[in-house]
Amino acid sequence: MPPAFPPLYPITLQHGLILGAALFSIGLAGALTKRNSIVILMAIEVMLNGVNVTFVAFARQLEPAVLTGQVFALFIITVAAAEAAVGLALIIAIYHLRHSVQIDEANELQG
Amino acid sequence: MNVAILSPEISLGAAAAVILLAEAFSAGNLSRVAILALATLGIAVSAAFLIPAQLAGVPTSSFSGAFIQNGFTIYFKLLMLMATFLVLLGSGRFLAQAEGRRAELVALVLLTTAALMLLVSSTELITLYISLEMASLSTAFLAAWMKHQERSAEAGLKFFLLNALSSAVLLYGIALLYGITGQTQLNGIARELVGGATPALLLALALLLAGFGFKVSAVPFHMWTPDVYEGAPTPITAYLSVASKAAGFAVIVRVLQTALPGVQTEWVGLIAILAAVTMTVGNIVAMVQTNIKRMLAYSTIAQAGYILVGVAAGTGQGLGAVLFYLAAYTATNLGAFIAIVEIADRTGSERTSDFAGLHARAPWLAFALAISLLSLAGLPPLAGFFAKIYVFWAAIQTGLGWLVLLGVLNSAISLFYYAQVIHHMYMVPAPSPAPGRSLPTLVAGLTVAIAGVFALGIFSGFFMGLAETAARTLTQ
């Protein structure tokens, strides 16, 4: 059954790609400029979501019957969850030692 | 679906599980030797599955072509098993002192090796990504193992954050590649890429190289390397510098050769530039380091540059040279790091200047470190010399003469800082005798590594033949 009101602006591949690229870029900018390690972790999650949107957009365009793109996005979501667990555990370890999660105070090792 | 193809990886996982269970049932009192014995058994069983497959010489694949076993993967897997074994042997008192948690440490190292072995066998991008993350996440924990020491915890966090960032960049590249070709199988991608380079494809290629460049610490994606190598416990640094790096190069070579032959001209150019920058920056910054682990970190960056020269050459001979170089580099770097584990443990210092007069206090350690450093610098008849010769020769034949010239200049520069350590050890008088004897396991590990450095040098023709045979199976 066709929808009663056809969408005014059908969502095309371009919309998905632009959203994905925007999320990825915002996340990248955040990850490179922020100094709080939790915020950096969140920025990286935003980047991963940008990648997910890109995958799903491509998958819908390329091969509606084959689900590789969606499956990839699901795997990324799972790995991102594991990554958050590992990252927060490491951040807690650092917090125990110096009561701060600022990455620029982590200067025990000089670049 | 042929699950038996995973036997080498499953053996390692089983060994890790057995170690953890034995630890639990012995109420945390499992001795260091018992843990090492169980780990060695796991590694031996894993190798026992690989060697018959190698002799049979039949490439097999499973899981809808997502996982492959051929000469190339077996070569890398045996190399990584050997490296893991030597790292565990050479971990010395670090393992003895990691009270209560040493079973977990060894189990985690075995699982990381299993993940790296999955990585070199993956021929499909989802499998590749999952194995990569599996290896990276456990590596972050390993780097932060001494979590009550600020530098170790910091090393773990830095590795984790930068690795997550690089993985996201890599994934965006993979997403674009998927969008362009509609494929995640590496050979499927190659089939679809017939039209040559488009801007989107070049962007995907650049993102992929940035992601993989991080894994092998190529400049300018090397920032994490010195910090993590210095902060992590030395045996873990040794492990990172050989096993992870070998797997990283295996993946780069596989993706470039099997998925992207359609844009070979483009990636040869990019890899050549990466190689040039990597070896130059690595060598120049290594000269001013005072901490030996930091110096070796920059030295491994420089070595990655030389290996990239072979990747850029891209021919069968170039790939063989890359494989041979990785074997030589593994033996050499393990020799250096195991010696440093013990020296730092005895002198309580990682500063190069505190290595003064080491030859009088610990002649075998000083000799092993000197041989390793000379091999890294590329002096005959050691492994490092022939590795460089093969890589440079392959590059000359594909018209990358300028890169080879730069590589030779860099080797000359590198001799300066390697020789400085040797000068401290042999020429500067010793301040005071250091007490203590080395653990027999550490001495055994060190001896095997040094024997490897000599054997790979003296019988380089034989080993190069093995490497070339293994490399040939990649492109078949």
Side-chain angles (χ1 to χ4, degrees), chain B residues 256-322:
Chain B
L256 292 180
Q257 291 284 343
T258 57
L260 302 167
V263 283
Q264 180 149 13
T265 342
E266 284 78 10
W267 64 250
V268 164
L270 286 173
I271 293 274
I273 294 168
L274 271 186
V277 180
T278 303
M279 55 194 177
T280 310
V281 170
N283 277 321
I284 289 176
V285 185
M287 282 199 285
V288 296
Q289 301 301 323
T290 53
N291 179 305
I292 183 101
K293 277 165 80 181
R294 237 181 144 70
M295 188 206 92
L296 275 180
Y298 282 106
S299 137
T300 63
I301 293 173
Q303 300 288 331
Y306 301 134
I307 304 175
L308 283 173
V309 173
V311 178
T315 52
Q317 201 185 18
L319 293 182
V322 167

Side-chain angles (χ1 to χ4, degrees), chain B residues 279 282-283 286-287 289 292 294-304 306 325 329 332-333 336 340 352 355 369-379 388 410-426:
Chain B
M279 55 194 177
N283 277 321
M287 282 199 285
Q289 301 301 323
I292 183 101
R294 237 181 144 70
M295 188 206 92
L296 275 180
Y298 282 106
S299 137
T300 63
I301 293 173
Q303 300 288 331
Y306 301 134
Y325 201 113
Y329 165 84
T332 309
N333 238 27
I340 289 167
T352 329
F355 284 26
L369 185 55
I371 290 295
S372 306
L373 293 178
L374 289 176
S375 173
L376 283 175
L379 257 64
K388 280 202 181 113
N410 265 297
S411 301
I413 296 177
S414 73
L415 195 58
F416 170 76
Y417 59 86
Y418 292 128
Q420 213 167 30
V421 180
I422 299 173
H423 170 80
H424 273 295
M425 291 193 300
Y426 280 90

Side-chain angles (χ1 to χ4, degrees), chain B residues 400-451:
Chain B
L400 290 167
W402 63 276
L403 200 55
V404 173
L405 189 65
L406 196 61
V408 173
L409 281 178
N410 265 297
S411 301
I413 296 177
S414 73
L415 195 58
F416 170 76
Y417 59 86
Y418 292 128
Q420 213 167 30
V421 180
I422 299 173
H423 170 80
H424 273 295
M425 291 193 300
Y426 280 90
M427 304 297 176
V428 182
S432 65
R437 289 186 62 78
S438 307
L439 291 169
T441 47
L442 184 135
V443 176
L446 189 58
T447 310
V448 174
I450 298 302

Side-chain angles (χ1 to χ4, degrees), chain B residues 63-446:
Chain B
F63 305 105
S64 319
F67 188 95
I68 191 166
Q69 176 162 290
N70 57 21
F72 179 80
T73 69
I74 293 172
Y75 181 91
F76 272 100
K77 286 179 185 185
L78 288 175
L79 187 63
M80 284 189 279
L81 286 175
M82 195 66 198
T84 311
F85 175 61
L86 288 182
V87 166
L88 289 179
L89 269 192
S91 53
R93 287 192 189 78
F94 169 67
L95 202 54
Q97 284 158 354
E99 282 301 336
R101 294 199 300 149
R102 56 190 169 208
E104 286 132 70
L105 177 78
V106 173
L108 205 50
V109 168
L110 290 181
L111 289 174
T112 313
T113 308
L116 293 174
M117 285 165 62
L118 287 173
L119 182 60
V120 298
S121 272
S122 4
T123 48
E124 196 265 347
L125 290 171
I126 299 180
T127 321
L128 192 147
Y129 168 65
I130 299 290
S131 331
L132 195 64
E133 285 301 296
M134 188 175 156
S136 309
L137 292 184
S138 30
T139 306
F141 275 136
L142 287 174
W145 198 254
M146 312 298 274
K147 63 176 181 182
H148 299 299
Q149 287 178 10
E150 220 162 300
R151 9 184 261 163
S152 181
E154 193 180 311
L157 183 63
K158 275 191 179 161
F159 177 81
F160 169 77
L161 287 176
L162 289 170
N163 175 68
L165 184 65
S166 83
S167 290
V169 171
L170 177 67
L171 273 177
Y172 199 69
I174 292 179
L176 290 181
L177 206 53
Y178 167 71
I180 296 164
T181 61
Q183 296 280 338
T184 56
Q185 297 274 0
L186 293 182
N187 47 16
I189 291 172
R191 249 195 333 270
E192 297 290 327
L193 288 182
V194 284
T198 59
L201 186 56
L202 288 181
L203 180 60
L205 178 65
L207 291 169
L208 283 177
L209 285 184
F212 289 137
F214 172 90
K215 311 289 175 196
V216 297
S217 50
V219 177
F221 316 108
H222 68 294
M223 262 74 102
W224 61 281
T225 315
D227 284 356
V228 174
Y229 279 24
E230 187 190 344
T234 313
I236 301 304
T237 308
Y239 181 76
L240 260 179
S241 77
V242 293
S244 309
K245 192 159 281 192
F249 276 107
V251 172
I252 290 192
V253 166
R254 179 184 290 288
V255 170
L256 292 180
Q257 291 284 343
T258 57
L260 302 167
V263 283
Q264 180 149 13
T265 342
E266 284 78 10
W267 64 250
V268 164
L270 286 173
I271 293 274
I273 294 168
L274 271 186
V277 180
T278 303
M279 55 194 177
T280 310
V281 170
N283 277 321
I284 289 176
V285 185
M287 282 199 285
V288 296
Q289 301 301 323
T290 53
N291 179 305
I292 183 101
K293 277 165 80 181
R294 237 181 144 70
M295 188 206 92
L296 275 180
Y298 282 106
S299 137
T300 63
I301 293 173
Q303 300 288 331
Y306 301 134
I307 304 175
L308 283 173
V309 173
V311 178
T315 52
Q317 201 185 18
L319 293 182
V322 167
L323 264 58
F324 179 80
Y325 201 113
L326 282 167
Y329 165 84
T330 300
T332 309
N333 238 27
L334 281 177
F337 272 111
I338 294 175
I340 289 167
V341 168
E342 183 61 14
I343 295 169
D345 202 44
R346 283 206 204 171
T347 59
S349 166
E350 288 163 0
R351 294 182 67 80
T352 329
S353 50
D354 291 335
F355 284 26
L358 198 72
H359 78 104
R361 293 181 280 165
W364 173 231
L365 288 177
F367 175 73
L369 185 55
I371 290 295
S372 306
L373 293 178
L374 289 176
S375 173
L376 283 175
L379 257 64
L382 301 168
F385 170 73
F386 291 99
K388 280 202 181 113
I389 291 283
Y390 286 132
V391 163
F392 289 162
W393 181 241
I396 285 180
Q397 288 184 323
T398 51
L400 290 167
W402 63 276
L403 200 55
V404 173
L405 189 65
L406 196 61
V408 173
L409 281 178
N410 265 297
S411 301
I413 296 177
S414 73
L415 195 58
F416 170 76
Y417 59 86
Y418 292 128
Q420 213 167 30
V421 180
I422 299 173
H423 170 80
H424 273 295
M425 291 193 300
Y426 280 90
M427 304 297 176
V428 182
S432 65
R437 289 186 62 78
S438 307
L439 291 169
T441 47
L442 184 135
V443 176
L446 189 58

